[in-house]
Amino acid sequence: MQTEIKLPNISSYQEAKKLIQSGELVAFPTETIYGLGADALNAEAVAKIFEVKGRPSSNPLIVHIGEKNQISELWIVENQFQQQIIDKFFPGPITLLLKKKDIIPEIVTSNPFVGIRMPSNQIAADFLKTVERPIAAPSANISGKPSPTSAPMVLDNLKGKIELIIDGGTSDFGIESTVVKVDEEDWKGKIWILRPWFITKEDLEKLFAGQEVEVEYTSKDQNMSPGTRFKHYSIDAKIHIISSAAEIPQKLTAPTALLATKERLLREDCPAFHDPQLLKLGWGTEENLASCAHSLFDCYHSIEKQGIQELYVQKLPENGLGFAIMNRVKRSAES
């Protein structure tokens, strides 16, 4: 199978529509990362996602929509708190778990709840509106590898396995969407963050200010959200999380990289900085942690292609966006 990368236009969207309608897969950009999409209502097409990615069948998928009116066709909105999240953050980089209707095949998820997402990326919106189908889409990569943030990264993962990649440039945010679940009892709300990212705990607390709502990170209900149970974001290099460059060994014995903010690279020094085996990568700035997220998976991809064996990653403050970024770094460092 030949894989083609095509720019977003009417012609490529129509080609994508034909592929989706015939049960094939299409990779497309969103504001978070690139997704590998299939018709969410076609069980055989969805099965190809798991086959192509090598993804465990018990790892649930997120369903993407282009219009809010599709929600009532596929999900049940059970309370006002869910509706408030939809009204405030759709479209945007957030996935909301809602009780699914029977029309959604069991292969998408065996759970009673399934993630719904409405991307804010214009190319994703145009793609979704053109194909006129809800699209089940995890990240467009081999399962367990860093999520792709550009069409060339998708090609490196899936060349010869799918026919079409729609090229939307580099993803704006670079990390997958926030995943939340809402519980409601006696008119009180509990917002659980299963997977953190750009829509933060603080953003949700602000939305529900003055209401009887609590917002918490949680490790429960992990079987309902992707990116929480299985090994993710792994690269061939061994990853070490450090607070200071002084923690890098003075004598390097293998190709090594340091991933740190640009400010940290300027103000720190250590013997390893002068070793030709050390590759220093500035992955963003401390004033704008979103820039660190934007380049994280791209840096991982580059490090792997360059044959780096040891990677040292600067620890970021674990609040707000820093919490979400370190969530991904810690997952990638798991053995």
Side-chain angles (χ1 to χ4, degrees):
M1 180 185 298
Q2 183 177 351
T3 303
E4 293 188 289
I5 297 178
K6 294 190 175 182
L7 294 174
N9 52 46
I10 294 175
S11 175
S12 59
Y13 293 147
Q14 288 299 324
E15 181 179 350
K17 182 176 183 177
K18 290 179 181 178
L19 287 168
I20 293 295
Q21 288 179 339
S22 62
E24 298 301 327
L25 309 181
V26 174
F28 64 100
T30 76
E31 72 276 23
T32 55
I33 50 105
Y34 274 66
L36 179 62
D39 182 350
L41 305 185
N42 182 336
E44 292 183 1
V46 174
K48 292 179 182 179
I49 292 176
F50 294 97
E51 179 184 352
V52 165
K53 284 176 59 71
R55 182 184 178 92
S57 60
S58 59
N59 196 1
L61 301 176
I62 292 170
V63 177
H64 297 63
I65 59 171
E67 304 279 2
K68 283 187 180 181
N69 60 21
Q70 292 175 276
I71 296 174
S72 61
E73 301 172 8
L74 306 171
W75 293 273
I76 301 170
V77 177
E78 298 180 290
N79 56 63
Q80 60 173 322
F81 308 117
Q82 293 171 338
Q83 189 61 54
Q84 284 177 264
I85 290 173
I86 292 169
D87 292 341
K88 174 66 175 179
F89 294 120
F90 279 36
I94 191 168
T95 295
L96 176 62
L97 290 168
L98 292 178
K99 189 170 289 185
K100 66 181 181 181
K101 292 188 175 181
D102 291 341
I103 191 173
I104 296 180
E106 190 83 357
I107 193 171
V108 172
T109 177
S110 59
N111 301 304
F113 291 82
V114 65
I116 169 181
R117 179 153 130 68
M118 185 176 179
S120 58
N121 177 277
Q122 188 59 55
I123 297 170
D126 291 342
F127 162 74
L128 290 164
K129 290 173 184 176
T130 300
V131 299
E132 298 179 308
R133 303 294 289 175
I135 297 296
S139 54
N141 60 329
I142 298 301
S143 188
K145 289 296 183 180
S147 300
T149 56
S150 68
M153 283 181 69
V154 177
L155 187 65
D156 282 346
N157 277 266
L158 303 179
K159 184 177 181 179
K161 296 186 176 184
I162 61 174
E163 291 187 39
L164 177 62
I165 302 169
I166 298 176
D167 187 353
T170 303
S171 302
D172 293 332
F173 297 134
I175 286 182
E176 307 91 341
S177 61
T178 305
V179 177
V180 299
K181 182 176 181 291
V182 179
D183 289 336
E184 185 268 336
E185 186 175 354
D186 297 329
W187 300 100
K188 297 179 181 179
K190 190 80 168 186
I191 314 299
W192 300 104
I193 302 176
L194 281 69
R195 184 178 73 183
W197 179 218
F198 194 80
I199 305 299
T200 64
K201 181 175 184 286
E202 293 79 5
D203 292 328
L204 291 162
E205 287 174 336
K206 183 178 180 181
L207 172 64
F208 293 106
Q211 302 180 58
E212 291 193 81
V213 175
E214 295 181 358
V215 183
E216 290 186 17
Y217 296 109
T218 184
S219 58
K220 75 166 196 161
D221 293 329
Q222 288 188 338
N223 62 321
M224 296 186 184
S225 172
T228 56
R229 290 183 295 148
F230 300 95
K231 185 171 177 61
H232 276 73
Y233 324 120
S234 65
I235 56 177
D236 292 337
K238 181 174 176 56
I239 297 175
H240 311 268
I241 301 171
I242 60 174
S243 298
S244 167
E247 298 174 50
I248 302 174
Q250 293 188 20
K251 186 173 179 59
L252 303 179
T253 59
T256 302
L258 168 64
L259 194 57
T261 60
K262 294 175 182 177
E263 295 93 338
R264 183 68 65 89
L265 292 176
L266 287 173
R267 68 173 178 257
E268 287 198 356
D269 194 13
C270 67
F273 275 23
H274 308 285
D275 192 312
Q277 290 203 92
L278 182 69
L279 173 66
K280 293 186 287 185
L281 295 172
W283 68 332
T285 67
E286 293 171 9
E287 292 183 353
N288 180 18
L289 290 183
S291 63
C292 296
H294 180 265
S295 63
L296 175 61
F297 292 147
D298 184 55
C299 285
Y300 274 9
H301 188 67
S302 175
I303 286 166
E304 190 160 49
K305 292 188 76 171
Q306 293 184 63
I308 298 296
Q309 296 179 30
E310 301 282 340
L311 170 63
Y312 292 85
V313 182
Q314 172 196 340
K315 183 178 180 180
L316 299 174
E318 294 194 55
N319 51 58
L321 297 184
F323 182 89
I325 297 167
M326 291 309 302
N327 167 270
R328 304 315 197 271
V329 173
K330 288 177 179 178
R331 293 298 309 279
S332 66
E334 292 175 352
S335 58

